[in-house]
Amino acid sequence: MSEKFEHSQFAHCESGVVSTLLTHYGLKLSEPMVFGLTSSLSFVFLPIIKLNNMPLIAYRELPKNIVNKVSRVLGIEIVKKTYKNGIEANKDLTKFVEEKKLVGLQTSVFYLPYFPKDMRFHFNAHNLLVYGKEGSNYKVSDPVFEEAVLCDEKELTKARFAKGVFAPKGFMYYPKNIPSNLDFSSIVKKAIKKNAKSMLTPFPYAGVKGMRTLAKKISKLSSKDARYLKNYLTHIVRMQEEIGTGGGGFRFLYAAFLKESKQYDINQEVLDEASSLLVKSGNTLREFALLCVEASKKIEKFDGSKIAQKLIEASKYEEEAFKLLKKI
């Protein structure tokens, strides 16, 4: 285990935290590798599950997927704890940092005081690291920030015990007993095939079909109810571009994982082609988000078919990529 801790900035909070934890405790894995090994690339559109009265739209597996799956995929024992109250949670957290343990926490973005006010919203699955304490302030390494920060115990406790969807319940975790001599060639190949299967699922609300279901919904939206339409479009953008790296960013992250996987005994031509297709999807999703933003600002010029077509274009890139990867 590394004695000295150095803060690093990452693309996404959960994969960044897990990468840092594993590296700190002796298994050096990049963020893309952590993301890919846990088959975390996804797309889900679930109208029956609401976030702020809007449908759940996710571009990766649900929160805690990486923390839970990295344990199963690599055979790592991960200590995971939830708490009934802040007193018990802080007692443990202080004890761990005094023992020089680096730990991950699940928190709510809304209650973290070091976030600029215009970036705070009710999202309860933001991951960060705590590596020390100065008086009543915890030393926090938040992977989406350039520098480490201090966070008052009361404020951090509030963020750890926020209510609502994905309520953290003080969730804290760190790895233990990391195995040696892992067969990464086999593990990586299995992870890629699993992700391909999930993205090519016949279920109409997930994977590439889920992207097309959302596109169909957008094409049928009307500008008559301007307020609802504006909220819907901005919700799509928030779910895509503000939570973690967003839809486009996750595609770039997975493309980087495929490139890194070339060091193992896997068809390099397929990995290169699939990686290129996912970069195209990432860029197309960014264009899709931009169209949503532009339409939300000028509702009278809303063109649902044009916006939907951009999402369909991204889905085609992903379908082609994962059909290739399914056969490796």
Side-chain angles (χ1 to χ4, degrees), residues 42-45 59 199 204-216 251 281 285 308 311-312 314-316 318:
S42 181
F43 185 88
V44 177
F45 169 54
Y59 292 77
M199 285 301 294
Y205 294 96
V208 296
K209 288 188 181 295
M211 296 170 81
R212 290 164 191 168
T213 301
L214 176 57
K216 190 175 180 180
R251 273 62 196 164
S281 174
L285 285 170
L311 186 55
I312 289 169
S315 78
K316 288 179 178 177
E318 297 197 16

Side-chain angles (χ1 to χ4, degrees), residues 28-80:
K28 189 173 182 180
L29 286 182
S30 69
E31 181 186 13
M33 188 57 64
V34 166
F35 188 77
L37 285 173
T38 51
S39 308
S40 292
L41 191 76
S42 181
F43 185 88
V44 177
F45 169 54
L46 293 177
I48 60 170
I49 298 178
K50 303 293 184 184
L51 282 177
N52 302 319
N53 295 315
M54 287 288 163
L56 173 67
I57 303 169
Y59 292 77
R60 64 169 178 100
E61 288 290 331
L62 292 176
K64 289 188 182 177
N65 171 74
I66 293 174
V67 174
N68 291 331
K69 277 192 179 176
V70 80
S71 176
R72 295 197 296 270
V73 170
L74 298 177
I76 297 169
E77 181 185 348
I78 294 185
V79 176
K80 292 180 278 190

